[in-house]
Amino acid sequence: GAAWGLYLRIDRQRLQCLNERREGSGALVFRAWEQRGDRAQFVESDDDEELLFNVPFTGNVKLKAVMVLGGEGGTHPAELRLFKNIPHMSFDDAAREPEQTFALSRDLTGELEYPTKIARFSNVYHLSMHFPKNFGAETTKIFYIGLKGEWTEARRHEVTICSYEASANPADHKLEQMTPQTHFIS
């Protein structure tokens, strides 16, 4: 269960779920592996069967696997398309080629794990998850999304203020004593 702990590394303030029926319900499906069977918290699509999650992380992630528990019958998602490092992705952006696509099977118990191509998901700071279709229902329902992988703290480069000299001022570079040295190159 500890391997599925990437939900702790999600920046929940910036997490988005597009086409969710109830505002804020998309963030509820990212939780502890031990709570994956909780049917009280879920996200359901609103207008059609599509759902799009924009998942920002608090650092860099090496994503190794994904788990999706969907609803009963036709409401379970049938396909998952993963995109990396495209903040604020929209449904129009989802027309592009994904990093990886999964044909999902119905999983109501949390036993199916979908391994990612680790080389493609080794430096992820933002993950977009597009569920374009389900098994035939009007809406899609998801109870749990698990993310398995490794997290490293983001290295932020601070702004450095430098002043450069156009030409050196000899008064700034005084030496107390100078010893001449000779170097021979043979």
Side-chain angles (χ1 to χ4, degrees):
W4 295 96
L6 283 182
Y7 75 97
L8 294 170
R9 305 301 185 178
I10 294 173
D11 185 351
R12 297 208 177 255
Q13 303 300 323
R14 297 183 347 196
L15 186 137
Q16 285 183 317
C17 180
L18 303 181
N19 196 31
E20 62 187 347
R21 178 167 288 172
R22 203 175 65 237
E23 180 96 19
S25 61
L28 302 176
V29 300
F30 296 95
R31 56 182 181 267
W33 183 80
E34 295 81 15
Q35 299 172 355
R36 70 189 184 284
D38 181 8
R39 297 283 189 187
Q41 298 177 354
F42 62 90
V43 62
E44 187 172 7
S45 61
D46 191 20
D47 294 331
D48 55 18
E49 72 273 12
E50 280 189 275
L51 280 170
L52 177 63
F53 291 88
N54 285 312
V55 184
F57 294 103
T58 58
N60 292 323
V61 168
K62 181 190 288 185
L63 186 65
K64 296 182 177 180
V66 177
M67 182 183 289
V68 178
L69 272 73
E72 299 83 11
T75 63
H76 194 290
E79 184 179 323
L80 168 60
R81 303 172 78 227
L82 294 179
F83 301 86
K84 75 172 197 174
N85 300 339
I86 307 173
H88 311 294
M89 189 169 164
S90 67
F91 285 111
D92 293 336
D93 298 326
R96 68 173 57 186
E97 187 68 27
E99 299 292 325
Q100 191 169 356
T101 302
F102 298 99
L104 301 178
S105 298
R106 290 183 175 111
D107 184 15
L108 304 176
T109 58
E111 296 174 7
L112 295 178
E113 181 177 316
Y114 300 95
T116 62
K117 296 174 184 172
I118 297 175
R120 290 189 179 186
F121 294 98
S122 63
N123 193 18
V124 179
Y125 59 86
H126 188 279
L127 180 69
S128 296
M129 306 175 79
H130 180 226
F131 296 92
K133 59 185 176 181
N134 59 23
F135 286 99
E138 294 281 323
T139 62
T140 298
K141 192 182 281 190
I142 299 174
F143 290 96
Y144 172 80
I145 296 176
L147 302 174
K148 182 179 189 179
E150 299 171 10
W151 177 84
T152 55
E153 191 171 355
R155 295 187 189 108
R156 307 256 187 237
H157 179 70
E158 299 292 326
V159 175
T160 307
I161 300 174
C162 298
S163 56
Y164 294 96
E165 299 175 348
S167 61
N169 183 358
D172 291 340
H173 305 283
K174 288 185 183 177
L175 295 175
E176 295 296 321
Q177 184 179 7
M178 200 149 126
T179 308
Q181 292 183 354
T182 308
H183 298 283
F184 294 100
I185 300 174
S186 55

